[in-house]
Amino acid sequence: MQYPSPQDQRLYHEQVWKLVRQVPYGKVTTYGQLAQMIDCPPGIDENDYDMLGSRWVGTAMSACPNDVPWHRVINSKGKVSTRPGAQSQQQRLEKEGIVFAHDRINLTIYGWPVEERTGAPAQGDLF
DNA sequence: GTTGTGACATCGC
DNA sequence: CGCGATGCCACAA
């Protein structure tokens, strides 16, 4: 993907939303995953993007349309975001069949995409 | 135009 | 395992 014009700033957000929309029912993804999946915008070092990309994703989610299943996006800790209404978010996820273990989601099972993920975060003694 | 927040991830202690 | 500090962009007032 390339970024032809400055409007990419908006496109970046749209890309995030697109990816979130692609998340299948009963699956969840993390901000870090999304940040890695999306190519870093022009004029930005991948190094920095790797660190801060997740933030932009969060910023993008702050303005996510209603048709975006934002509740399927969680943080690396396997927990719902610190955003207001997180409680409701967990409820929605459980409603979709996702099981919370100790207020945490087992990304090994519900993680998306299903690709191999080296060093699953926050798994530890979960399983 | 400037200032202040923010729905994150990672490392150190 | 929890808390604090760091990195940076986008957006609203």
Side-chain angles (χ1 to χ4, degrees), chain A residues 33 113-118:
Chain A
Q33 281 286 310
V114 190
E115 299 175 23
E116 55 178 308
R117 52 197 293 66
T118 54

Side-chain angles (χ1 to χ4, degrees), chain A residues 45-108:
Chain A
D45 297 339
E46 290 189 16
N47 197 342
D48 294 342
Y49 179 76
D50 183 52
M51 269 194 302
L52 305 169
S54 27
R55 267 196 156 178
W56 311 341
V57 175
T59 305
M61 298 307 284
S62 65
C64 74
N66 292 337
D67 62 320
V68 176
W70 52 268
H71 54 275
R72 289 182 197 153
V73 183
I74 59 179
N75 54 22
S76 295
K77 297 175 201 124
K79 290 165 113 174
V80 296
S81 313
T82 56
R83 152 196 164 216
Q87 187 81 30
S88 189
Q89 182 176 4
Q90 180 174 338
Q91 292 294 323
R92 293 187 187 203
L93 290 172
E94 288 180 341
K95 207 164 157 191
E96 294 198 354
I98 296 176
V99 179
F100 276 67
H102 289 304
D103 293 336
R104 259 176 241 180
I105 299 177
N106 189 332
L107 294 172
T108 308

